[in-house]
Amino acid sequence: MNSNRYEIFLKVVELGNITRAAEALNYTQSGVSHAISALEKETGFALFRRSSNGVTLTDNGKQILERVQGLVNQQRSLAQTIANINHIVAGTIRVGTFTSVSSQWLPGIIRSFSERYPLVDFELLDGNYDDITEWITQGKIDCGFLTAPVPETLSFLPLKQDPLLVLMEPGHPLTGREALSLEDIIKEPFIMPMKGSDNDIRAVLKDTGSPPKIKYTLNDDISVMAMVANGFGISIMPELIIRNVTFPMAARPLNPPQYRHIGMVSLPISAVSIVARAFLQFLGGMDVMQFESKPV
């Protein structure tokens, strides 16, 4: 079983679809299918269950997944160590991210880092806070953007304090105030993002003493803002998320002010790859606000 097949195997697991894996890897669909078939022949058992919706791991496939991921990580680490001995930062860095960071920071960060280290490729995985935490712990990604607090086993590099704002439809009675207290909020119908994206909001609301009147729970921030703009309730969103959004909404700060603390999270620095270490050091020496896109 060669390393190329391992990489293909992991990409198919990640995407759950052979066609999408082929597109992501810039291979043909038949090439990916052949690699998986060859891997199954060498292991002596089926790795995936096929269906019209894609593929899922068999029980045997699940048993080897962690070992395959470990071998791929070791191979990448070896390649990066060789590059480092030759005074070259090269290889692939896998970064977990969420929507507001992806749209506001990542293009500028990647462009600036690539100018300094042109032999580094980025592999980006988009998810919620819970997803990214799990991916780091499992070794699926090298590092990821998250908000504090994070598990004690992980390293947190602070990057930005992002103000949390109360969102309302234009003309809502509370728009007459310059700032809103938690007591103001819990009296109103509330629209909440799904679990995994609601950590920052729940951290603020836990101090209210009584639960908010959650009217709707939606699976993405855009849907939440659309419902707010149409008068179905209020919500709380970080400033970075609502930047450049065109929904007709009013936004007010909290009193006292509340923030989400965005940072880059990884395993302890001694446990990350050389290229990931270079990326963390790069971010630590930069002001991420320079990468923020300007409001239109």
Side-chain angles (χ1 to χ4, degrees), residues 63-234:
Q63 289 187 53
I64 71 168
L65 175 59
E66 185 176 347
R67 296 294 181 88
V68 171
Q69 182 70 70
L71 288 171
V72 169
N73 289 345
Q74 289 176 17
Q75 184 199 26
R76 288 172 173 170
S77 179
L78 173 61
Q80 290 162 8
T81 299
I82 293 171
N84 187 60
I85 292 171
N86 290 311
H87 306 290
I88 300 170
V89 176
T92 299
I93 181 169
R94 300 159 298 165
V95 181
T97 182
F98 47 88
T99 303
S100 53
V101 165
S102 299
S103 60
Q104 298 294 335
W105 293 353
L106 267 184
I109 288 174
I110 292 175
R111 182 179 298 110
S112 181
F113 184 80
S114 297
E115 289 173 355
R116 187 177 301 183
Y117 301 108
L119 299 180
V120 174
D121 294 321
F122 281 82
E123 183 177 326
L124 306 176
L125 275 74
D126 191 80
N128 60 40
Y129 297 161
D130 293 346
D131 293 332
I132 295 169
T133 301
E134 182 178 348
W135 294 339
I136 294 171
T137 303
Q138 293 178 344
K140 189 174 182 180
I141 58 178
D142 298 294
C143 54
F145 293 95
L146 280 174
T147 60
V150 300
E152 293 182 359
T153 55
L154 301 180
S155 175
F156 183 82
L157 172 66
L159 296 175
K160 177 183 172 65
Q161 287 192 113
D162 191 16
L164 294 172
L165 305 176
V166 181
L167 302 186
M168 304 160 283
E169 65 174 320
H172 190 286
L174 292 178
T175 59
R177 305 185 187 184
E178 293 185 1
L180 299 174
S181 68
L182 295 178
E183 289 71 25
D184 297 325
I185 293 171
I186 61 174
K187 300 174 184 177
E188 299 292 326
F190 200 88
I191 303 174
M192 184 76 76
M194 292 288 283
K195 178 175 172 52
S197 299
D198 61 346
N199 306 43
D200 303 310
I201 298 175
R202 292 192 181 277
V204 171
L205 296 179
K206 69 179 176 60
D207 296 326
T208 59
S210 58
K213 299 177 181 178
I214 299 176
K215 190 172 183 180
Y216 298 101
T217 302
L218 301 171
N219 63 0
D220 66 85
D221 298 327
I222 296 297
S223 298
V224 170
M225 288 186 279
M227 294 293 281
V228 169
N230 283 278
F232 288 95
I234 69 171

Side-chain angles (χ1 to χ4, degrees), residues 235-280:
S235 192
I236 296 175
M237 288 279 174
E239 191 274 336
L240 199 61
I241 289 179
I242 67 174
R243 179 172 296 188
N244 297 334
V245 171
T246 58
F247 289 115
M249 295 182 300
R252 296 291 183 273
L254 285 158
N255 183 25
Q258 301 286 339
Y259 302 88
R260 66 170 178 173
H261 301 273
I262 304 175
M264 179 58 75
V265 176
S266 69
L267 295 175
I269 193 70
S270 60
V272 302
S273 68
I274 293 165
V275 68
R277 197 173 306 166
F279 185 58
L280 293 170

